[in-house]
Amino acid sequence: MIFGRNSVEKKHNRSYRKGVVLVLALAVAGAATAFAASQINLLETGSSLLYPLFNLWVPAFTKAHPNIRIVTNSTGSGTGISQSVAGIAQIGASDAYLSDAMTRMHPTMLSIPLAISSQMVNYNIPGLNNKHLKLNGPVLAGIYMGKITMWNDPQIAKINPGVKLPDHKIIPIHRTDGSGDTFIFSQYLSFSTPAWNNSVSFGTSISWPPVQGGLGAVGNPGMVTALTGSKYSIAYIGVSFERAIMKDGMGIAMLGNRAGNFVMLTPHTVSSAAAQMVPKTPKDERVSLIYAPGADSYPIINYEYAIVSKQQPSAQTAAALRTLFTWAISGNGGNAPHYMEAVHFAPLPPSVVRLSEAQINQIQ
Amino acid sequence: MSFKRLIAPIASLVGGALLVIIAFLGIYAWPAVKFNGLGFVTKDNWNLGSLYGNPIMRHGQLILPGAAYGILFLIVGTLLSTLIAVLLAVPLGVGSAIFLADGVPPALRTWLSFFVEMLAAVPSVVFGLWGYAAVIPLLNHTMFPWMAKHLAFIPFFAGATGSGYGLLTSGFVLTLMIVPLITATMRDALVNQPRGLREAALALGATRFETMWSVILPSTRRVLIASGILATGRALGETMAVLMVGGGALNYLPQNIYAPITTMAAFIVSQLDSAMEDPTGMAVRSLAEVALVLCVISVIVNGAARLLLYFSGYERMGGGGWA
């Protein structure tokens, strides 16, 4: 019919046949869905930082539990929180815990830590990417507020003596989707820089001060793409993307901690920070681990949360969730070293495992 | 029951759906309209407030501390990217329509037209992905630096070229999406002009170009305007492609043609999940207000174009020319 020779008869015939094909295709898809419905389906959505770990967990877990089917989705912590609260997803993955106001409004929602994560500050400066520039909260706040606009700004030069900084404009990249990475990064800036705390504060979505040329990106993968594609840019990216950063040859900054030292992101600096902060974890486990005291503490570490409702629609779903989470936080299960090392996470300390178990058992 | 009676409720259902949607948006967004006031369309200040703060009362509304909503930058981004797209797409679309109608051997014409029409059927997310993966690196490394250097005399073409994400990139991707709409409708119109028109012009000694430019094309003026409306409507509301190549600018206006932007439609998609984290609900209501503003702008643009259509028809009956 597109090619002009359109006898009316032929046209009808062809569209009729097309209709049959369409109906058949829909029927096959429908049957497949109906078949799958005999299993327990869990939808995980949210944090792109937690996503790589979930994708390692799911095949191993579902192999042992073939009746549970888990779909994972990297959409950002904001989506994880809002879709789990709305009941669309059973598991909302988030780098951020629920706020006090959200907890009051949705008292059935739990924030359960599954592992300890951390965040890199990355940059793309030709010639300096292997140098580990030193950056701290006030300098990063200055960059993201548009007060420090050039890489050779005196404030950056002062903490990087001997480094030849380029006379080039800084392109700050931030997340446009609701993001736990934004949450922990803005907490680092808030806790270290009063000017940031008073004007912007912290959250999964914040009102980024306008910076000419600044970029927005979606998800950690989007941050990596924007960073590698834009010379002289800077970005904050979850540690589970370290491999992508290394592969693309981007720079990883040393960050200033509360003690005033500049520290690299290593298992040692993460566990030093965790040792300081973990004892402060309350019963509902909603707590920030950012900007820990201690000479060796890495300043941006956080719990990776599953945001889950303690009231599930069916006992089977609740049981499946309990089984999954209990396995996930166990040192023989999801917190085993080979999973943690693959994404550069740290396992939950025993005291937190106990707190998480108590919360998991509330899921009914 | 007569056919007319049977069909009337179905037809009114379609029209009714539009009214219901707009009414719903209006009612839902009303608290936000009251809270935001006129500043909503005059300020560059979209701020959910402190998501982890405790809600406070302001003007009788429960909001998060620091919350404020102003979307001038979205309106500007939407209108500018659409303007660029339409400015580029109209000459391109008309040119290719003329080529397809007149410049190609008939055997090839059906095939080429087929491809142009298929371009219109490509989902916008495909354009977005292509823009993201293929166009942006090219623009960023080659074309934008060249333009900033050699076209710097044109206003807004000089200055920092940024990263490839932005206003002009969005305009390019939108152009490609709306060109086939214009080409397809214009080609049909050109082909369907009375044969007599062409023969008369040729008989008077006009060249092929003169025939097309002074006789055939002017007689399709109304179709051009109509396809322009269609294309503008699509560009205004385009979401996915712009979301992927726009650069996600927040709270500032573009300083030059390379600067990052966001459009209203893209913003609604990208911010909905964040807005749902606002326990007071004001953020989602403000997004609904964005949708309402987008509806109003679309209606205004459509109305203006229809007015143009009306006058062009009037002029034609009075014997007005092309120019």
Side-chain angles (χ1 to χ4, degrees), chain A residues 2-3 78-79 81-82 96-97 99 101-102 104-105 176 178 183 201-202 204-205 207 210-212 214-216 225 229-230, chain B residues 46-48 50-55 111 114 132 140 163 165 247-248 250-253 255 260 270-271 273-274 276-277 279:
Chain A
I2 296 152
F3 301 104
T79 305
I81 290 173
S82 49
Y97 47 86
S99 71
M102 282 296 266
R104 271 200 302 277
M105 271 196 66
T176 54
F183 175 76
S201 188
F202 61 86
T204 47
S205 291
S207 175
V211 178
Q212 266 304 327
L215 280 182
T225 313
S230 319
Chain B
W46 179 273
N47 187 346
L48 297 184
S50 174
L51 281 177
Y52 282 73
N54 280 318
W111 280 99
F114 168 66
Y132 188 80
N140 185 19
S163 51
Y165 300 85
L250 188 64
N251 292 346
Y252 64 87
L253 299 176
Q255 296 290 306
S270 70
Q271 294 306 308
D273 277 317
S274 308
M276 279 165 65
E277 285 180 75

Side-chain angles (χ1 to χ4, degrees), chain A residues 291-315:
Chain A
Y291 212 43
D296 291 347
S297 297
Y298 189 75
I300 314 182
I301 70 163
N302 65 295
Y303 287 132
E304 287 296 302
Y305 290 96
I307 310 291
V308 189
S309 172
K310 56 179 145 184
Q311 284 167 7
Q312 290 298 323
S314 77

Side-chain angles (χ1 to χ4, degrees), chain B:
Chain B
M1 203 191 272
S2 73
F3 179 66
K4 211 194 218 168
R5 282 235 192 102
L6 196 76
I7 216 76
I10 300 176
S12 50
L13 209 67
V14 178
L18 178 71
L19 290 180
V20 167
I21 288 171
I22 292 185
F24 164 79
L25 271 181
I27 293 167
Y28 186 75
W30 187 243
V33 174
K34 267 200 304 189
F35 173 71
N36 295 324
L38 199 63
F40 191 64
V41 292
T42 59
K43 285 187 189 148
D44 290 317
N45 179 23
W46 179 273
N47 187 346
L48 297 184
S50 174
L51 281 177
Y52 282 73
N54 280 318
I56 52 170
M57 277 302 251
R58 176 107 48 88
H59 308 311
Q61 303 280 355
L62 203 59
I63 57 158
L64 287 174
Y69 305 94
I71 61 157
L72 181 65
F73 65 105
L74 294 178
I75 298 175
V76 170
T78 309
L79 292 181
L80 284 182
S81 59
T82 301
L83 182 72
I84 290 176
V86 172
L87 283 181
L88 292 174
V90 166
L92 265 175
V94 173
S96 59
I98 293 176
F99 178 68
L100 287 172
D102 205 32
V104 195
L108 219 61
R109 181 187 297 161
T110 28
W111 280 99
L112 280 178
S113 309
F114 168 66
F115 276 113
V116 171
E117 273 155 34
M118 285 312 283
L119 200 59
V122 173
S124 62
V125 65
V126 176
F127 280 103
L129 194 64
W130 169 74
Y132 188 80
V135 179
I136 283 175
L138 181 75
L139 294 178
N140 185 19
H141 294 304
T142 322
M143 196 168 152
F144 283 177
W146 184 89
M147 285 172 70
K149 203 171 154 201
H150 294 97
L151 302 178
F153 57 90
I154 307 173
F156 304 113
F157 274 66
T161 59
S163 51
Y165 300 85
L167 178 56
L168 191 55
T169 315
S170 308
F172 282 154
V173 171
L174 285 177
T175 302
L176 216 78
M177 293 176 59
I178 64 176
V179 157
L181 293 178
I182 298 176
T183 305
T185 34
M186 278 304 284
R187 187 197 66 103
D188 286 348
L190 291 174
V191 169
N192 289 328
Q193 285 308 304
R195 214 187 150 97
L197 268 183
R198 180 187 304 262
E199 284 171 355
L202 290 172
L204 285 172
T207 62
R208 237 168 118 191
F209 174 78
E210 283 165 348
T211 305
M212 179 52 76
W213 187 250
S214 326
V215 179
I216 309 284
L217 209 51
S219 66
T220 60
R221 186 175 46 215
R222 283 166 63 86
V223 179
L224 177 61
I225 296 172
S227 67
I229 299 177
L230 209 72
T232 310
R234 170 128 197 227
L236 278 176
E238 175 46 40
T239 307
M240 231 27 238
V242 179
L243 183 61
M244 293 164 94
V245 302
L250 188 64
N251 292 346
Y252 64 87
L253 299 176
Q255 296 290 306
N256 63 20
I257 200 157
Y258 317 105
I261 57 149
T262 319
T263 66
M264 287 185 263
F267 191 73
I268 293 171
V269 172
S270 70
Q271 294 306 308
L272 183 56
D273 277 317
S274 308
M276 279 165 65
E277 285 180 75
D278 176 354
T280 69
M282 186 56 79
V284 182
R285 287 180 197 276
S286 293
L287 277 185
E289 196 182 349
V290 176
L292 207 59
V293 172
L294 181 58
C295 273
V296 169
I297 288 180
S298 300
V299 168
I300 291 175
V301 168
N302 239 300
R306 264 163 212 280
L307 223 57
L308 203 66
L309 202 63
Y310 173 77
F311 282 119
S312 78
Y314 177 75
E315 225 178 55
R316 187 181 164 201
M317 277 170 211
W322 166 252

